Amino acid sequence: MITKLSTVFLVLLSAMSLTACVTQNYGNDKSTPLIENETSNNEIAMTRISLGLGYLKMGNTQQAKLNLEKAKGFAPNLVQVYTAFAHYYETVGEAELAIDAYEQALNINSKDADTLNNYGVFLCRQEKYAAAEQQILKAIAVPSYILVAQSYENLALCQLKAKQFNKAQTYFEKAIAHSPNSASSLYQMMRLQYAKSDYKLAQRYLYRYEKSTRRFSAEALALAFKIFKKQGENAIAKNYGNMLVKMFPYSFEAKQYILNELYRLDADKLAEEYQDSLVGDKNTTNKKRVVVLSPKVVSISEKSDLSNRGLKPIMANSVMPTAKQGVEAKEKNKAAMVSLPIHTVAQGDNLSSVALQHNVAMNSLKRWNKLRSPYILKIGDVLYLADPKLAAKH
């Protein structure tokens, strides 16, 4: 299942523009001062944080903690020190200590949006869904926060985990409104609509996904196959199946396509969970209304139920890149992404117009797609706009 929550990693070390301290020492001649530049304590602390996270990534927890302790010694009031400690404690399975580290970070700066976002991610992992929603919304409410789309996607993924499908859809819509070309949000909406059996809407999100990115995964192609298969569009479905086998011949999805035409995807499991939720709500559907919280700045002192929460830190360092980390620790390894531009045939298209639209030679289109005279195209056909053999090698 591609259900990732974004943990924000800030590369602050190179961006910090701190003024170096200047100290005055004296040589043998006490009357002659020697001026020396001394790196600021915050910069030293950031370097130690970077080293500590690097060691943690390699699995050397002893050296990781040693460097984080040294960072704390240099800058005991630096937010990044405590978010780094929270990440360390989460990694070694000390949830309560991670909570303490997060609370210290937020006591220093209650509007650190990155910390709030990661706090919510961790709470979601601990299945504290309401608390996770509250913390991520605090991050979104910070005026200077720019990763709003990612945080809304986090909220949506967390609601999926909580089996709150309507709320998940609302937050995905907000994520897409803030970032209309976000491939991950579009893919997740495609997956959710498939689970809800709205295959036409899933198809529309598929086309938006294809337009927003030229990078495909085995999972996306497999889901596209199922969307058209469910609608009885077998020819189009087969095109996607062929792409899957050509581009990802060794992937789990390709093997399942060959064996049983992708009888059961992860999205099918999500569909079962959605149906189960409808059965559970059958007697209360008309009585209950879905409430979606709005971003609201809440004081750090409002911690009525924090004692039972797990926390997830945000890291400021120069070792770990800005990246998304999965909510599920056992998320399966996904096939490598492959760049390959395509064109989905629409009404009025012909080989000449497609070649002209994408500025490629007709002979190349024929060769790449193994087309033979009289070159009849059908609506929904998928045409390669580059050599699939070359793309598959990358």
Side-chain angles (χ1 to χ4, degrees), residues 58-74:
M58 292 187 293
N60 190 337
T61 55
Q62 209 168 23
Q63 283 296 319
K65 188 175 184 183
L66 176 64
N67 277 279
L68 295 183
E69 289 288 359
K70 289 184 176 180
K72 184 178 179 180
F74 281 108

Side-chain angles (χ1 to χ4, degrees), residues 315-385:
M315 313 307 298
N317 65 92
S318 60
V319 172
M320 302 182 74
T322 300
K324 288 191 174 182
Q325 295 185 329
V327 176
E328 298 181 356
K330 295 184 179 180
E331 180 186 0
K332 68 176 182 178
N333 292 328
K334 295 179 286 293
M337 302 294 280
V338 175
S339 294
L340 184 67
I342 65 167
H343 175 88
T344 303
V345 176
Q347 186 172 2
D349 280 349
N350 56 50
L351 199 61
S352 176
S353 67
V354 173
L356 183 63
Q357 178 182 342
H358 296 283
N359 194 27
V360 296
M362 281 186 59
N363 287 335
S364 296
L365 279 179
K366 297 173 189 176
R367 184 174 69 257
W368 296 334
N369 295 280
K370 297 181 180 180
L371 297 177
R372 297 173 183 259
S373 180
Y375 313 123
I376 297 175
L377 302 180
K378 298 179 181 178
I379 294 175
D381 283 353
V382 176
L383 297 178
Y384 297 127
L385 301 177

Side-chain angles (χ1 to χ4, degrees), residues 88-107:
Y88 165 82
Y89 285 127
E90 181 188 358
T91 301
V92 299
E94 296 286 357
E96 292 302 318
L97 293 176
I99 292 172
D100 291 340
Y102 264 114
E103 291 184 342
Q104 289 183 69
L106 292 175
N107 279 328

Side-chain angles (χ1 to χ4, degrees), residues 98-354:
I99 292 172
D100 291 340
Y102 264 114
E103 291 184 342
Q104 289 183 69
L106 292 175
N107 279 328
I108 294 170
N109 183 357
S110 64
K111 295 183 179 180
D112 189 291
D114 300 314
T115 300
L116 291 166
N117 174 81
N118 283 10
Y119 189 174
V121 169
F122 183 82
L123 290 171
C124 187
R125 288 184 177 134
Q126 300 299 306
E127 300 183 356
K128 304 288 186 180
Y129 301 120
E133 184 179 30
Q134 185 182 46
Q135 293 301 320
I136 296 174
L137 285 171
K138 289 180 190 178
I140 292 171
V142 176
S144 60
Y145 189 48
I146 63 174
L147 301 179
V148 172
Q150 291 91 324
S151 286
Y152 271 126
E153 185 175 325
N154 280 350
L155 283 168
L157 292 170
C158 191
Q159 293 303 319
L160 277 186
K161 194 168 184 282
K163 310 298 186 294
Q164 296 294 319
F165 295 95
N166 290 334
K167 291 184 78 171
Q169 179 164 329
T170 298
Y171 284 132
F172 277 133
E173 288 170 350
K174 287 179 178 290
I176 293 169
H178 282 273
S179 183
N181 295 319
S182 169
S184 59
S185 292
L186 292 170
Y187 174 82
Q188 291 296 341
M189 274 293 275
M190 172 173 62
R191 183 171 168 268
L192 177 57
Q193 297 311 317
Y194 174 87
K196 297 175 77 171
S197 300
D198 193 341
Y199 304 121
K200 286 294 182 184
L201 186 54
Q203 181 181 328
R204 288 201 289 272
Y205 278 108
L206 167 63
Y207 288 148
R208 289 183 64 180
Y209 169 81
E210 291 179 340
K211 186 177 180 180
S212 72
T213 180
R214 291 184 176 183
R215 299 180 68 84
F216 295 91
S217 70
E219 287 180 323
L221 291 172
L223 182 54
F225 169 85
K226 292 297 291 277
I227 288 170
F228 285 103
K229 191 73 173 177
K230 289 288 188 179
Q231 298 179 80
E233 300 283 355
N234 294 329
I236 302 175
K238 187 176 180 180
N239 284 337
Y240 280 103
N242 290 338
M243 288 176 64
L244 172 62
V245 173
K246 288 179 182 179
M247 296 171 66
F248 302 94
Y250 304 109
S251 68
F252 170 81
E253 289 81 3
K255 293 174 183 177
Q256 290 301 305
Y257 173 72
I258 293 170
L259 287 172
N260 55 35
E261 287 199 334
L262 296 165
Y263 176 74
R264 180 179 170 83
L265 290 179
D266 186 72
D268 292 304
K269 179 182 177 182
L270 186 66
E272 292 174 2
E273 293 173 350
Y274 175 70
Q275 291 301 321
D276 289 343
S277 74
L278 295 181
V279 172
D281 293 340
K282 183 171 62 175
N283 298 324
T284 57
T285 300
N286 296 325
K287 299 178 183 178
K288 295 170 66 176
R289 64 188 182 93
V290 174
V291 177
V292 178
L293 300 180
S294 298
K296 177 182 178 182
V297 178
V298 182
S299 170
I300 288 298
S301 62
E302 299 176 16
K303 301 177 181 178
S304 58
D305 65 337
L306 286 184
S307 59
N308 294 321
R309 297 180 184 180
L311 300 173
K312 165 66 181 144
I314 180 164
M315 313 307 298
N317 65 92
S318 60
V319 172
M320 302 182 74
T322 300
K324 288 191 174 182
Q325 295 185 329
V327 176
E328 298 181 356
K330 295 184 179 180
E331 180 186 0
K332 68 176 182 178
N333 292 328
K334 295 179 286 293
M337 302 294 280
V338 175
S339 294
L340 184 67
I342 65 167
H343 175 88
T344 303
V345 176
Q347 186 172 2
D349 280 349
N350 56 50
L351 199 61
S352 176
S353 67
V354 173

